[in-house]
Amino acid sequence: MFPLVTWFRGLLLVALSTLSLQVLAFDQYGRWLDLTPPIANDSGSYFAAIAEQPTGNGVKLTGGTFWYGMHLSLAQPEELVIDFRNTFVLASFTHYIFDQDGELIERVQGGVTDPTRGEFFLRHGQSLNLAAGEYRILTRLDSPYFIAVPEPYLQSYDQYQSSTRVPIAITLAGLGIFFALGFYYVVMGLWRRSLGDILYAGFIVGNLVFNSASHLVLRDLFGITGFHLTSVPILFSNVAYIGFVMILLGISQKRSPRFFYVGIVVISVMMLFWPVALLQPQWSLELARYGVGMFALYGLSCGIAQALRRNKVAYFYLVANVAFAIPAFFTISLRNISIADTFLIEHLGLISVGLEVLLLAQVMSYQVGLVYREREQRIREAQQAVRLARESVLAKERFLANMSHELRTPLNAIHGTVELLKSQPLELRFRRQLDTIHQSSKFLLYLINDILDLAKMNAGKMKVVKAPFDLDRMLQNVCDLYRSNNELKEIDLLIAVAPDVPSVVMGDESRLKQVLANLLSNAYKFTDEGGIRIDVRLDSDDQLYFAVVDTGIGIAPEDHDSIFDAFTQVDDSTVRRHGGAGLGLQICSRLVHMMDGELHVTSKPGEGSTFHFTLPKHNHPVAKTNIEKTIGILYATHWQEMAELAEQDLIGMGANIVLMECLDQAYTDDLEVEHWLVFSRHYDSDLLARLRATNGNVLWFLPESVVYDLPIMPGVEFEAAPYGRYHLRRWIGSPVNTTPISPVTESLQNTQIVAVDDNPINLRVVTALLEKLGATVHGFDNALRAIDYIRQHSVDLILMDIQMPELDGLQASERLRAQGFSQPIVAFTANVSMRDREACTASGMNDVLVKPVRMEQLRSTVHKWVLR
Ligand code: ADP
């Protein structure tokens, strides 16, 4: 609304200034003369011509040279201004002023192409100081074309000054609007890459140039006198307008084919105007006039058509178009304008286009608002979709977690039952069938774990933690896991930890363990002879370097990248033999990445593979183990490497070492040795007796198959190979064992264990396994009943399921701890996430056994806690 008020006020002022022109203190009378060809250049004949020459036809809009003669009668001396009515688009003019005697007393000239700045800013007016008397004034006009008829007239100086104020203000305001909006839409168009904005900016800029030239701004401010600037830019702006209207109103080939094709034709015709204007300059303004008529009409008809289709933008556009079209119609058709002498046809044109530009800006703002609201709506919809997707991912994750729990529980039962059955004397064929069931359930369990991990990673739920952990113990756990999973092949495993690797580091123990266990299990799968080793050392950047090296089948170079993709396996036949779903390496690689490392492979077919990665080392301060003792190391040749690793570690701890090969002949009597480390594949009771005779403690590494059948003796520890620093640290730090000699299977005799599981099969399985270990087991399918029993009896260990109705394992553990129960409680669960482990610890539990539980795990865990 605001611009409309401004324009009306401007019009009112123009009208008022017209009134002031009525008071004239002199007479003037003029007419067009028929002076072609121009008369001779002497003032007498000019003077005579004014009175004598016949009246001419006046100015032709397509230009030429024209003459105008005026009589002026002054009763008193006057200061006057001579200017033109109707238009100031004229290339050049000359006024000749004669006195009543025919003397040429003054000659003034000007015009758009005249580089001398006029006496009045933005006007052609020239002042004349004349005494009382009669005068004749002859005006010569030379111009290639006119907008309207430039008719000379005289006005008193003061009146002229005051009556030009409003038109000049209109000029400046109009150009200011063009400049500001033109600039704005050029920037917006380029920024938003919107053709509509750019075309609209083109339309405005065309009008800006045209009006700056025709209103003498270019000449008076910048000295630019190009006359064709007053027509040619309009030819361009007309084309831009048609394109803009088509975009604004959505005129496309598909939606409004008729208007689309008419638009294309109109644009083509208008573009033809350009060369014509170049060749026939006198027609350029006429062509611009037709162009304005055409675009106004085209805009009007498109506007109406689209408004009839209930296009809201079209309603507003129509208002702008009509506001423009009415004054524009007068601008292009009037030859004379009689609002006021100083108010010219160019002012009317400026007002009409200015009005349209402002109203169109409003239309475009409205349209942008529509687009913005639409986008907001779409963003809201997208956010809603994201929320739904997130919820569905969560639901999927929950489903997976529940499913994996539900799947693990029956698997546990299958697994345990099979293990029980396998320990019975069975026919070979049944044993083979049992092996098949056993392998399948094992594979199914891996698969469930992998899919669960992958789902967690995809949902962004897998987090790595950074906490101090015992690297030696972790490596030992990896080894235990490996051993318990792989029984059939005779492949040596070596853990080679460089002595300078700290034993306690910061990081995510369980994730690192998962990666190494996975790589180790692959190495085992794809290696039939030779050995496997885990290398841990510090690299040149002081980072922790881990490698799992095997001497297996190797991987062809072209497969080195693809094996890290999910569900990718190199060779179907090997995989069929070994099982696996192709998820392991993808999980490992992502886990290593989460720990700020990168998993790589170097491998040659037939020569084995090395999977390696480095992780940032964050030390955690640990007290240095210091042993100033003499330790004897005895080894059989095949385990020399292990013996040497132990030697390095012990030297690092400050011990004196006596290293001896060949166990049979080892001469031990004279040595002042406090401890013995032995590495051999066979147990030799004579050797043990000899070593014990030196009064030293013995730590003996043997194959796992041998270790469990050996008796427990004071001062002697048997460990399953491979050697690890963890064993050494534990052994050095432990007091001398004085328990009486007893076979391992008997060691759980008189041990009272309470097992709680709501699943009767699971309970039966775990009870049977524990009983096989020699323990006395009291099974309960309900935690409340179990607590009642524990309160009244002496119990050495509790094995408890987590998910149970009524009172779950965590609550039961909290309750028992609150009641002062101090014996170990071990969780027995299918949930294996870090959070679950933390929850177990928080509730007062000491350890976690993952279902399906295996004989070896059960044995080592129970031993660990019962025989502490
Ligand atoms: P899978 O569970 O099937 O073993 P992985 O992602 O762990 O899946 O491994 C993908 C493939 O990479 C394997 O099927 C195998 O072809 C190859 N591969 C992985 N580790 C080794 C290795 N140590 N030696 C040879 N091939 C390997």
Side-chain angles (χ1 to χ4, degrees):
M1 282 319 286
F2 174 75
L4 275 181
V5 173
T6 318
W7 289 117
F8 275 119
R9 194 174 301 153
L11 281 174
L12 203 64
L13 284 174
V14 171
L16 286 177
S17 69
T18 317
L19 288 178
S20 65
L21 292 182
Q22 306 307 317
V23 197
L24 278 178
F26 53 88
D27 277 346
Q28 55 177 327
Y29 162 73
R31 66 192 173 92
W32 291 100
L33 303 176
D34 194 6
L35 281 183
T36 41
I39 56 169
N41 194 12
D42 66 291
S43 55
S45 54
Y46 275 126
F47 178 74
I50 297 171
E52 291 158 14
Q53 283 301 311
T55 301
N57 292 331
V59 162
K60 266 205 297 187
L61 294 182
T62 47
T65 302
F66 304 95
W67 296 87
Y68 191 83
M70 257 199 291
H71 289 265
L72 174 70
S73 166
L74 295 179
Q76 59 189 57
E78 289 281 356
E79 194 178 358
L80 299 173
V81 176
I82 184 161
D83 195 1
F84 296 90
R85 283 193 192 96
N86 303 326
T87 175
F88 37 34
V89 170
L90 47 103
S92 70
F93 64 83
T94 313
H95 299 295
Y96 302 89
I97 296 104
F98 303 92
D99 64 11
Q100 55 206 12
D101 305 325
E103 264 315 298
L104 179 68
I105 56 165
E106 210 168 335
R107 179 173 175 278
V108 285
Q109 64 184 52
V112 176
T113 57
D114 191 329
T116 51
R117 193 186 173 293
E119 200 181 336
F120 293 90
F121 182 56
L122 305 187
R123 302 295 304 190
H124 288 316
Q126 306 275 358
S127 64
L128 302 172
N129 261 320
L130 299 174
E134 296 289 319
Y135 296 92
R136 287 180 192 176
I137 300 172
L138 188 65
T139 301
R140 177 192 161 123
L141 285 171
D142 285 294
S143 190
Y145 48 78
F146 300 96
I147 281 185
V149 176
E151 195 178 277
Y153 77 100
L154 287 151
Q155 202 171 10
S156 80
Y157 190 93
D158 293 342
Q159 272 182 339
Y160 184 77
Q161 256 198 334
S162 69
S163 65
T164 51
R165 255 180 233 141
V166 172
I168 286 177
I170 289 173
T171 301
L172 295 179
L175 293 181
I177 289 168
F178 289 166
F179 186 81
L181 287 180
F183 182 75
Y184 176 75
Y185 281 103
V186 165
V187 173
M188 287 297 275
L190 293 177
W191 191 251
R192 298 199 310 208
R193 300 213 183 95
S194 144
L195 184 62
D197 283 359
I198 289 175
L199 289 172
Y200 185 52
F203 170 68
I204 298 175
V205 171
N207 276 285
L208 176 68
V209 177
F210 162 75
N211 282 287
S212 302
S214 64
H215 287 257
L216 305 178
V217 173
L218 290 187
R219 187 196 71 174
D220 288 357
L221 281 185
F222 307 109
I224 299 169
T225 54
F227 188 74
H228 293 299
L229 290 178
T230 63
S231 60
V232 177
I234 287 295
L235 293 174
F236 288 100
S237 80
N238 290 350
V239 173
Y241 187 91
I242 300 280
F244 159 70
V245 165
M246 289 171 82
I247 290 173
L248 180 77
L249 298 180
I251 307 287
S252 66
Q253 197 173 7
K254 236 193 205 161
R255 277 181 285 177
S256 317
R258 230 174 296 158
F259 281 104
F260 178 79
Y261 289 117
V262 172
I264 298 294
V265 170
V266 174
I267 287 177
S268 313
V269 171
M270 285 181 175
M271 283 169 77
L272 275 182
F273 290 174
W274 300 350
V276 176
L278 211 67
L279 297 171
Q280 297 287 321
Q282 73 274 23
W283 284 101
S284 55
L285 199 64
E286 293 309 296
L287 295 174
R289 238 186 264 272
Y290 304 142
V292 170
M294 280 158 79
F295 86 60
L297 209 65
Y298 179 76
L300 198 67
S301 25
C302 287
I304 291 172
Q306 295 301 88
L308 288 176
R309 288 185 182 181
R310 305 195 175 282
N311 178 336
K312 272 203 182 147
V313 174
Y315 295 154
F316 293 113
Y317 169 74
L318 269 183
V319 174
N321 187 286
V322 171
F324 161 73
I326 295 169
F329 171 75
F330 289 112
T331 309
I332 59 174
S333 57
L334 282 184
R335 304 177 111 234
N336 303 300
I337 182 160
S338 52
I339 295 176
D341 287 336
T342 49
F343 183 83
L344 311 178
I345 204 85
E346 287 85 350
H347 293 120
L348 188 62
L350 190 60
I351 288 173
S352 65
V353 182
L355 202 58
E356 167 150 59
V357 164
L358 283 174
L359 289 172
L360 282 180
Q362 317 260 2
V363 178
M364 289 177 76
S365 307
Y366 171 77
Q367 198 195 28
V368 169
L370 273 187
V371 172
Y372 178 75
R373 278 192 291 277
E374 232 167 67
R375 196 175 301 167
E376 288 239 298
Q377 175 66 22
R378 248 179 256 151
I379 289 173
R380 268 199 298 276
E381 284 167 9
Q383 282 169 339
Q384 172 80 358
V386 167
R387 209 169 30 247
L388 284 177
R390 255 197 219 131
E391 275 166 18
S392 95
V393 166
L394 272 181
K396 194 173 81 181
E397 211 205 319
R398 241 175 281 139
F399 169 77
L400 271 170
N402 287 341
M403 272 311 282
S404 83
H405 175 258
E406 295 308 319
L407 286 170
R408 268 186 250 219
T409 307
L411 256 181
N412 180 29
I414 296 171
H415 223 81
T417 314
V418 170
E419 287 202 340
L420 259 183
L421 282 174
K422 275 174 76 180
S423 66
Q424 313 285 330
L426 280 174
E427 257 182 59
L428 189 63
R429 103 192 125 98
F430 289 138
R431 184 166 294 281
R432 287 215 180 110
Q433 286 162 355
L434 273 179
D435 278 343
T436 312
I437 301 174
H438 195 211
Q439 288 306 322
S440 305
S441 62
K442 212 159 78 176
F443 172 67
L444 211 54
L445 195 68
Y446 289 148
L447 197 64
I448 290 167
N449 283 338
D450 283 355
I451 290 176
L452 184 68
D453 278 351
L454 216 56
K456 271 190 182 163
M457 282 183 191
N458 289 340
K461 292 278 172 184
M462 181 82 86
K463 300 272 184 298
V464 291
V465 295
K466 204 173 269 172
F469 71 91
D470 188 328
L471 183 67
D472 295 340
R473 190 190 56 201
M474 187 276 286
L475 288 169
Q476 193 50 48
N477 286 348
V478 171
C479 251
D480 293 343
L481 256 179
Y482 165 82
R483 267 202 306 257
S484 62
N485 286 332
N486 306 305
E487 302 136 351
L488 299 172
K489 295 186 204 169
E490 284 267 317
I491 295 173
D492 270 343
L493 171 66
L494 190 71
I495 306 179
V497 183
D500 57 348
V501 172
S503 51
V504 176
V505 293
M506 296 282 288
D508 192 323
E509 179 181 3
S510 62
R511 298 287 164 237
L512 185 57
K513 187 157 74 181
Q514 188 177 353
V515 171
L516 290 174
N518 215 316
L519 295 177
L520 204 56
S521 127
N522 272 355
Y524 178 83
K525 251 198 271 180
F526 298 103
T527 306
D528 286 332
E529 47 190 44
I532 301 172
R533 57 189 282 155
I534 300 179
D535 274 327
V536 186
R537 59 170 190 259
L538 295 179
D539 71 359
S540 51
D541 298 329
D542 204 31
Q543 298 217 337
L544 275 174
Y545 170 90
F546 292 88
V548 177
V549 188
D550 67 51
T551 52
I553 58 170
I555 303 160
E558 63 270 21
D559 296 321
H560 285 191
D561 289 335
S562 63
I563 51 168
F564 292 104
D565 298 337
F567 299 107
T568 302
Q569 293 162 322
V570 172
D571 174 5
D572 280 354
S573 61
T574 9
V575 169
R576 236 174 282 130
R577 194 147 53 90
H578 300 293
L583 292 175
L585 286 179
Q586 150 102 163
I587 292 172
C588 285
S589 148
R590 288 170 69 171
L591 283 177
V592 171
H593 187 76
M594 283 163 75
M595 294 187 283
D596 300 327
E598 203 79 50
L599 180 62
H600 299 287
V601 61
T602 45
S603 176
K604 264 196 193 154
E607 291 181 17
S609 316
T610 302
F611 284 86
H612 55 101
F613 56 94
T614 47
L615 297 182
K617 179 174 73 105
H618 303 283
N619 284 348
H620 190 76
V622 270
K624 202 171 177 308
T625 319
N626 217 349
I627 22 169
E628 286 155 0
K629 292 177 180 168
T630 304
I631 294 177
I633 303 179
L634 294 176
Y635 65 90
T637 333
H638 47 264
W639 279 0
Q640 182 178 353
E641 233 175 332
M642 259 189 250
E644 283 169 0
L645 281 169
E647 183 193 12
Q648 282 177 17
D649 288 338
L650 283 165
I651 291 172
M653 292 174 188
N656 293 319
I657 304 299
V658 178
L659 189 68
M660 274 185 280
E661 200 197 324
C662 212
L663 302 173
D664 304 342
Q665 291 143 33
Y667 180 71
T668 54
D669 296 351
D670 288 352
L671 294 170
E672 299 252 322
V673 169
E674 285 138 290
H675 295 301
W676 291 100
L677 261 180
V678 187
F679 296 92
S680 76
R681 278 205 175 121
H682 309 287
Y683 172 61
D684 178 342
S685 51
D686 290 346
L687 176 66
L688 182 65
R690 266 193 289 149
L691 298 176
R692 295 286 292 140
T694 64
N695 282 332
N697 279 355
V698 179
L699 173 60
W700 196 324
F701 285 92
L702 289 150
E704 194 204 14
S705 50
V706 180
V707 164
Y708 291 118
D709 295 332
L710 295 174
I712 290 178
M713 285 176 255
V716 181
E717 281 191 35
F718 297 108
E719 281 291 355
Y723 156 82
R725 242 180 6 190
Y726 183 65
H727 296 122
L728 201 60
R729 281 172 38 214
R730 224 179 43 177
W731 179 58
I732 302 280
S734 65
V736 174
N737 194 343
T738 52
T739 31
I741 298 172
S742 61
V744 170
T745 41
E746 285 171 13
S747 64
L748 289 181
Q749 259 182 10
N750 299 331
T751 305
Q752 302 293 320
I753 297 180
V754 165
V756 196
D757 196 322
D758 62 319
N759 182 313
I761 303 175
N762 281 347
L763 186 61
R764 217 164 46 229
V765 168
V766 80
T767 306
L769 289 175
L770 286 167
E771 279 170 351
K772 217 173 138 10
L773 289 173
T776 311
V777 188
H778 309 274
F780 294 91
D781 60 358
N782 176 299
L784 287 171
R785 273 199 294 282
I787 291 175
D788 272 353
Y789 176 85
I790 293 161
R791 227 185 269 144
Q792 292 156 25
H793 298 84
S794 152
V795 172
D796 300 308
L797 177 82
I798 302 174
L799 264 175
M800 183 138 55
D801 186 24
I802 298 272
Q803 291 198 333
M804 286 185 291
E806 255 182 288
L807 191 69
D808 70 24
L810 301 176
Q811 293 164 328
S813 164
E814 275 168 16
R815 201 174 283 189
L816 282 166
R817 293 294 183 224
Q819 290 168 359
F821 179 78
S822 61
Q823 295 292 44
I825 306 177
V826 175
F828 179 56
T829 177
N831 292 340
V832 286
S833 75
M834 266 313 277
R835 213 179 297 153
D836 295 325
R837 280 178 192 278
E838 283 162 12
C840 289
T841 316
S843 73
M845 291 180 157
N846 301 70
D847 208 343
V848 177
L849 258 177
V850 179
K851 284 188 201 172
V853 75
R854 303 172 51 82
M855 190 62 164
E856 292 79 16
Q857 288 167 338
L858 190 66
R859 177 173 23 207
S860 67
T861 309
V862 171
H863 275 214
K864 181 169 135 195
W865 292 107
V866 172
L867 305 177
R868 280 176 303 165

